[in-house]
Amino acid sequence: MAKMNMLQAINNALDLAMAKDDSVVCFGEDVGHFGGVFRATSKLQEKYGKARCFNTPLTEQGIAGFANGMAAQGMKPVAEIQFADYIFPAFDQIVNETAKFRYRSGNEFNVGGIVFRSPYGGGIAGGHYHSQSPEAYFAHTPGLKVVIPRDPYQAKGLLLASIASPDPVIFFEPKKLYRASTGEVPEEYYEIELGKAEVTQQGKDITVLAWGAQMEIVQKAVEMAEKDGISCEVIDLRSILPWDADTVAASVKKTGRLLINHEAPLTGGFAGEIAATIQKMCFLHLESPIERVCGMDTPYPLALEKEYVADHLKTYEAIKRSINF
């Protein structure tokens, strides 16, 4: 297997998808010859031509609307929103058109071939306009899938599965890990099932759940807890919509405790949905209240980024709090 960082794995996935299917096209702001602001689409225009990898005007609503139109005609557009913070001008197109196209036609027509790629999250000193984690906004929208990988291997397999999916997918990429996360990645085509969580570490005392860049953070906290004799089961949710409640519930029934960590603010964050569901499914198995370790209910701060983030120390303290309840 080849050694790749996350950007290389994403680029490789796009390359394979475009080679496999002529209807796959990539577009967005600066994605053409420039290769995107992070270079995720590097060399694709040179290889597949300007008709299949091209720049768009600086209009996110236009990018999403254009993707809807292309998908309605049978294409498979992979549209890049340069930063997840910029996806909000496209919110109307994605929520009111992309997500509802199939439903409003009675399955006569759809835009299921769409994938919206977008880097999300903090860790690059980007401030409040380049650091947000908006996954919970879209989790409230039936008709979409929302997917977030944690490493290069996951990024490639999940992106290829998203492009092949018959449903519209929003694919949030943790930009903090673009070049920091490296690993062995098969060079051939492969898919990872959407909507399925992965138990990355077995344990018996507490279930620790996260996704994306936060997986690296919770792993540090788990290693600290294990020095105290606390056995943690770790789960990467991977898909926010749909999310794998059965895998999480099976783990919590074994451990009796659950901690959910995400980068987005606490209030209205997706951890609340998970907590409510697991509380109902596992009520008689819970040994302590479900813990949520999340971002703060403030705009993402530039100068105080380290204080804002749901880091390994906050997670470690929450693990101990749950065990000692």
Side-chain angles (χ1 to χ4, degrees), residues 291-314:
E291 290 281 350
R292 291 183 292 163
V293 182
C294 308
M296 296 180 182
D297 290 334
T298 70
Y300 202 105
L302 177 59
L304 299 174
E305 185 172 44
K306 289 182 179 179
E307 287 76 11
Y308 176 92
V309 71
D311 67 6
H312 62 291
L313 297 176
K314 294 176 186 176

Side-chain angles (χ1 to χ4, degrees), residues 183-200:
E184 291 189 337
V185 179
E187 294 185 77
E188 66 272 13
Y189 184 101
Y190 66 93
E191 295 180 13
I192 296 174
E193 181 182 359
L194 303 182
K196 186 68 176 175
E198 181 184 13
V199 180
T200 62

